[in-house]
Amino acid sequence: QVQLVESGGDSVQAGGSLRLSCARSGDTVNWECMGWFRQAPGKEREEVAHIHTGSGSTTYADSVKARFTISLDNAKNTVFLQINSLEPEDTAMYYCAAGHVSIETKSCAFYYWGQGTHVAVSS
């Protein structure tokens, strides 16, 4: 079964940057989609970005589009999330996820999540 292990979370000042990593292991599935989600205290989990592993095409939530960059190192089975100009509103647990393109919706559907890495941003 796939294992997703996130790292890179930290406590930082507003305006700083972080690079989150997610290492995938435990399977040989060619996951079509890898994504990053976050969940702040008292809020629903939201998708912030995903990447199609074949084409490299990316999609971002409007709220993070200008500051977040998702990338993939297929050789190392690792997906990254570069976060710049951090804001206190970015404080959350960040999770990576693996999935496939849904035949019905033609969009990514995620099936496995990691345990998360925590990002805390102070003003």
Side-chain angles (χ1 to χ4, degrees):
Q1 181 171 323
V2 63
Q3 292 184 327
L4 303 170
V5 180
E6 303 92 337
S7 61
D10 204 350
S11 296
V12 297
Q13 296 274 346
S17 297
L18 284 174
R19 190 191 198 204
L20 308 184
S21 300
C22 171
R24 178 174 65 83
S25 64
D27 72 341
T28 57
V29 175
N30 182 25
W31 296 100
E32 296 171 309
C33 305
M34 296 294 296
W36 283 96
F37 293 71
R38 69 183 180 184
Q39 187 167 19
K43 294 190 176 181
E44 303 261 325
R45 184 176 61 193
E46 63 170 339
E47 179 184 323
V48 295
H50 70 257
I51 185 167
H52 287 255
T53 60
S55 67
S57 67
T58 58
T59 301
Y60 297 92
D62 287 341
S63 59
V64 306
K65 191 173 296 185
R67 301 183 295 115
F68 288 26
T69 303
I70 187 171
S71 60
L72 190 64
D73 184 337
N74 274 320
K76 296 183 179 179
N77 290 331
T78 302
V79 61
F80 303 98
L81 186 69
Q82 177 70 38
I83 310 175
N84 297 326
S85 302
L86 276 154
E87 303 170 351
E89 292 73 24
D90 295 320
T91 296
M93 188 70 81
Y94 284 73
Y95 302 89
C96 75
H100 290 299
V101 176
S102 166
I103 295 174
E104 292 81 16
T105 66
K106 310 299 185 208
S107 59
C108 287
F110 294 95
Y111 303 107
Y112 291 98
W113 278 264
Q115 293 299 306
T117 185
H118 190 253
V119 173
V121 185
S122 57
S123 57

